[in-house]
Amino acid sequence: MKENSTDQFFKSTVLGHPSGLFVLFFTEMWERFSFYGMRALLVMFLTSSMIDGGWGWSREQAMTLFGSYVGLVYLSTMLGGYFADKKIGYRMAVVVGALLMSLGHASMAIETEFSIYLGLVLLVFGNGFFKPNMTSIISEMYKDRPEKKDGAYTIFYMGVNSGSFFGILLCGYLGEKVGWSWGFGLAGIFMFIGMLQFWLAQNIFGEIGLKPVKKEVTLKEVDENNDKLNPFPVWQLALIGIVVLLSISWLIFEPAKVITNGAIDLFDFSCFGLEGNNFVILLALILFLILLIYRLSRYSQITMEKLIAVTFFAFLTIFFWTIFEQSPGTLTIFAKDYTNRILVGNAGIAFKIINALITIVPLMIISWVLYLLSKQTFKQYAVSNIILAAGFLFVWGIGIWMLYNQFQDETLEVPASWFSTLNNLFIISLAPLFSKWWESKYNPSANAKYCIGFLLLALGMACVAYGSAGIAPGAKTASVSMIWLVLVFLFHTMGELCVSPVGLSYVSKLVPARMIAMMYGVWYLAFAIGMKGAAKFGENIDKIADEKGISYFFWMLTIVAVVVGLISLLFQPVIKKLMHGVR
C-alpha cells in the first residue's frame, strides 16, 4: 500500500463503503434529529398563543427570526471551517460543535426569554463548528477513490434525512402534545448521544481530522496544480471582517426591527435610494464578490478555473434553497390553512396505517444499517456501539408510544408539520437508487444533474400552483386535496438528490485539500443566503396571496426554477472545460 493511501478504510466495509462513513452517518443523523426537531417546533412555539405556552408572535415576526437564525447557522460554518483547518482539526471541531448544540437545546428547554435566545446563539456556533467538518472528513477518506464519492455523499445524505425525519416526527409530536420543553429537551438528548458515539469511535478515521501540523513551506513546495500558498494579507482579513460584521449585523437587526415593530432599528437611514437594511446587505455582498474575484485571480489557471466552477454551482444553489426551503414557511402555511387535513372513518384508518408504516419501516432500515456497522466495529468500539443502540431503543419507544396514541383518536387531524416528514421519507427511500445511478455508466454531468434537479423543483411547485388555482385572492381558508402536497415533496426530494449531495461531492473534487474546510464554509454561505431568501418570501406570502392569489405565488417560483435549470444546462460546455476532466 502506498504511503498516506486511504485504501486502509476499505478493509472494513458496510454496503461497499468504509465503516467510518457509517460512524459519520449516525453522528450526522443525531445532529439533524436535534436540528430539525427543534426547527419543527420553533415557528409553532413563537406563533402559539401565550395560553398554549407560546410567545404569541405574528407569522411575519416568527419567519424573520427563523430566517436569520438559519442564515447565521450556515454563515457560522466559515468560522468553524477556519478553526478546523488551522487550529484544532476536523474531529475536535465536530466534538466542540456537538457539545455547544447539546447545551443550546438544554437552554431552550428551560423556556425563559433569555434561555431561548441563549439557546439559539449556542446552536448557531455549534452548527458552525459541526457542519462543514463532517463533510471534510468524508472528503479525506475518499481522496483516493473519487469515483465512489458521489455514492458516499448520497448515503451520508440518507443519514442526514433519517435524522430530520425522526426529529420532525418525534420532537414535533412531543412538543405539540406534551409540552414545548419536552420537544426541545429531546433534541438535546440525542445530540449528546451523537457526540459520545463519535468521540468513542473516532480512531476509526486513522489520522484524518487530527490537529493540523504547521509546516514550513518553501517556494518549491506547491500543490499538483503548481500553486504556491496564497495567504490572506492584512487588508483582505480586514475586508473579510467588514463583510462578516455587516452581514451579522443585518441578520440580527433586520429581524429585531420587525419583532419590535420598528422600536429597534440600527440602520435607520437611506442611501442611494435604498432603505438602510437593504443598503447594508447589498454592500456586504458587493465587497465579498470583489474579494472573491481578486483571490481567484491569484491562483494558477487550473485551480482558478476549478474554483470558478465551484462558485458557479454555489450561485445556482442559492436559488435552489430559496425555492426548496418554502417547506417550513409557505408550504406549511398552505398545509395549515388551505389543505383538507381532517380524516374520519376509512380515510383516518388508512392514514394511521400509512403513518405507522412510514415510522416503523425507516426505523427497521436504519436499525439494520446499525446492525451491519456493529458487526464490523463492535470488537474495537463496543461502548460507542452500545450508546448508539441505546439511543435507537429510545427512538423506538417514543415512536411506538406516539403511534399508540394516534390509534386511539377516532377523528384525526393531520398535523401541518407532518407533510415536512415526507421529504425525509422519500430521501430514505430514493437515495440508494440515485446513488446507484451516479455510479453507473449513465451518470449525468454536473450541469445536467443541476438542470434535472431544478426542473423537478419546478414540477413540484407547479403541482401546488395547479392545486391551488381555485383559491380566490384574499381567501383565508380552503380545502385542497392533500395529494398536491404529497406530490410537491416527492418531486422536490428527487430534485434535492440531484443537487445537494452532488454539490457537496463536486466541492470535494474541485477544491485543493488545503482549503477544503474553508471552501465548504463558502459553500454553506450560499445556503445561508438561500435560507434567508426563503424566509423573506415567507414574510410576504400573505401580501401576494391577498393581491394575486396564492396560486400566483407558486407559479412565480415554478418559472424561476425552470429558468435557472436551463441556465445550468446552457453553461455546461463552459463549466465542463473549467472542471478539467473532473466528473
Side-chain angles (χ1 to χ4, degrees):
M1 187 187 301
K2 65 180 182 178
E3 186 180 0
N4 295 328
S5 171
T6 58
D7 291 342
Q8 58 179 305
F9 300 115
F10 287 83
K11 290 183 177 180
S12 171
T13 60
V14 175
L15 301 177
H17 289 269
S19 298
L21 174 68
F22 291 88
V23 172
L24 298 175
F25 174 102
F26 284 109
T27 306
E28 181 75 6
M29 189 189 75
W30 293 130
E31 187 274 331
R32 291 291 89 181
F33 183 106
S34 68
F35 179 83
Y36 279 94
M38 188 282 287
R39 190 179 95 150
L41 294 175
L42 183 57
V43 173
M44 287 191 290
F45 168 74
L46 294 173
T47 55
S48 292
S49 67
M50 293 184 181
I51 295 175
D52 295 326
W55 282 7
W57 282 12
S58 69
R59 186 181 295 154
E60 183 182 11
Q61 289 172 318
M63 286 305 299
T64 190
L65 177 63
F66 176 77
S68 284
Y69 160 68
V70 179
L72 285 168
V73 159
Y74 285 98
L75 188 63
S76 68
T77 57
M78 298 182 73
L79 178 67
Y82 171 80
F83 272 96
D85 269 347
K86 305 297 182 184
K87 304 294 182 183
I88 61 177
Y90 303 146
R91 288 193 213 172
M92 184 55 68
V94 167
V95 172
V96 168
L99 179 60
L100 288 173
M101 285 187 283
S102 299
L103 294 172
H105 290 298
S107 180
M108 293 189 72
I110 299 171
E111 268 191 55
T112 67
E113 186 172 358
F114 173 78
S115 70
I116 291 289
Y117 284 121
L118 175 62
L120 292 175
V121 170
L122 290 171
L123 289 171
V124 163
F125 284 104
N127 270 279
F129 276 92
F130 188 97
K131 192 67 180 171
N133 298 302
M134 293 291 286
T135 45
S136 297
I137 294 173
I138 297 177
S139 177
E140 286 294 299
M141 194 184 302
Y142 282 80
K143 69 179 182 181
D144 294 328
R145 299 285 185 94
E147 74 282 359
K148 300 281 285 184
K149 275 188 176 180
D150 284 3
Y153 279 110
T154 302
I155 289 174
F156 179 72
Y157 213 60
M158 182 179 171
V160 168
N161 285 274
S162 299
S164 305
F165 173 78
F166 295 127
I168 294 170
L169 195 69
L170 302 182
C171 290
Y173 184 81
L174 273 177
E176 290 187 76
K177 300 297 183 181
V178 182
W180 304 114
S181 291
W182 287 89
F184 292 140
L186 185 67
I189 289 170
F190 284 109
M191 185 67 263
F192 189 69
I193 288 174
M195 181 189 71
L196 289 179
Q197 177 249 335
F198 176 84
W199 177 257
L200 293 169
Q202 64 174 305
N203 288 338
I204 201 170
F205 305 115
E207 296 183 359
I208 292 176
L210 295 176
K211 185 176 180 179
V213 179
K214 202 168 185 179
K215 295 193 304 181
E216 291 293 328
V217 182
T218 67
L219 291 178
K220 292 183 179 180
E221 290 182 295
V222 294
D223 69 10
E224 69 274 14
N225 293 324
N226 197 34
D227 261 337
K228 300 174 184 177
L229 288 185
N230 186 15
F232 287 87
V234 174
W235 73 268
Q236 291 184 20
L237 292 174
L239 190 58
I240 291 173
I242 293 171
V243 170
V244 170
L245 181 62
L246 290 174
S247 301
I248 292 176
S249 297
W250 180 75
L251 285 169
I252 292 173
F253 288 101
E254 189 261 350
K257 179 181 178 181
V258 176
I259 292 166
T260 63
N261 296 313
I264 297 176
D265 188 3
L266 182 66
F267 306 116
D268 186 16
F269 63 88
S270 61
C271 191
F272 299 110
L274 294 171
E275 186 264 337
N277 279 304
N278 295 332
F279 173 76
V280 165
I281 194 59
L282 183 60
L283 177 62
L285 287 172
I286 291 171
L287 292 176
F288 174 77
L289 289 174
I290 290 171
L291 178 61
L292 179 65
I293 293 169
Y294 178 79
R295 283 197 63 80
L296 289 179
S297 70
R298 302 287 292 175
Y299 291 105
S300 70
Q301 184 173 349
I302 292 177
T303 298
M304 177 183 69
E305 290 178 352
K306 287 182 177 180
L307 293 178
I308 290 173
V310 170
T311 303
F312 174 80
F313 290 124
F315 178 72
L316 297 185
T317 298
I318 292 172
F319 290 93
F320 184 85
W321 290 114
T322 295
I323 299 172
F324 182 90
E325 279 298 309
Q326 298 304 311
S327 172
T330 57
L331 290 178
T332 298
I333 292 168
F334 186 83
K336 181 175 179 292
D337 297 334
Y338 300 104
T339 302
N340 181 16
R341 296 181 289 112
I342 304 296
L343 301 177
V344 295
N346 291 335
I349 294 172
F351 176 83
K352 292 171 185 177
I353 294 171
I354 292 171
N355 196 43
L357 288 174
I358 67 174
T359 301
I360 292 172
V361 172
L363 274 173
M364 292 176 67
I365 293 172
I366 304 302
S367 297
W368 173 65
V369 175
L370 172 59
Y371 167 73
L372 295 178
L373 176 64
S374 297
K375 280 180 64 177
Q376 292 289 330
T377 63
F378 192 86
K379 288 184 179 179
Q380 285 181 287
Y381 309 106
V383 179
S384 176
N385 279 277
I386 290 170
I387 289 174
L388 186 56
F392 248 88
L393 285 174
F394 193 13
V395 171
W396 270 100
I398 297 172
I400 291 171
W401 171 75
M402 176 195 70
L403 294 173
Y404 172 79
N405 288 337
Q406 288 182 343
F407 270 93
Q408 305 307 305
D409 296 330
E410 293 184 6
T411 300
L412 182 68
E413 181 179 15
V414 180
S417 61
W418 178 85
F419 294 95
S420 295
T421 65
L422 293 174
N423 170 241
N424 311 117
L425 175 68
F426 291 140
I427 287 280
I428 295 168
S429 305
L430 298 174
L433 298 178
F434 277 78
S435 178
K436 290 295 182 184
W437 182 12
W438 302 155
E439 293 181 9
S440 73
K441 63 180 181 179
Y442 301 106
N443 184 18
S445 67
N447 291 73
K449 287 174 184 173
Y450 264 71
C451 180
I452 293 169
F454 272 98
L455 294 180
L456 287 166
L457 193 66
L459 185 58
M461 279 300 174
C463 286
V464 72
Y466 178 80
S468 61
I471 301 175
K476 300 302 180 184
T477 60
S479 296
V480 175
S481 171
M482 286 175 14
I483 189 63
W484 299 113
L485 279 175
V486 174
L487 289 174
V488 169
F489 284 102
L490 173 62
F491 290 125
H492 281 196
T493 298
M494 292 192 289
E496 183 183 8
L497 284 167
C498 291
V499 172
S500 191
V502 172
L504 290 172
S505 178
Y506 282 116
V507 173
S508 71
K509 292 176 183 179
L510 293 166
V511 175
R514 57 189 166 82
M515 61 176 85
I516 188 74
M518 181 64 76
M519 284 305 295
Y520 273 125
V522 173
W523 185 261
Y524 286 119
L525 173 62
F527 278 54
I529 298 171
M531 299 291 181
K532 184 62 178 174
K536 294 299 288 184
F537 271 107
E539 292 174 41
N540 293 287
I541 184 174
D542 288 341
K543 297 174 186 175
I544 296 174
D546 287 344
E547 293 178 11
K548 302 281 189 177
I550 197 167
S551 179
Y552 180 86
F553 175 85
F554 292 122
W555 279 122
M556 279 177 21
L557 295 177
T558 301
I559 293 169
V560 171
V562 170
V563 170
V564 177
L566 294 178
I567 288 173
S568 175
L569 200 60
L570 182 65
F571 276 82
Q572 177 169 314
V574 176
I575 299 301
K576 182 179 180 180
K577 183 178 179 181
L578 294 176
M579 290 171 69
H580 291 275
V582 172
R583 275 190 62 85

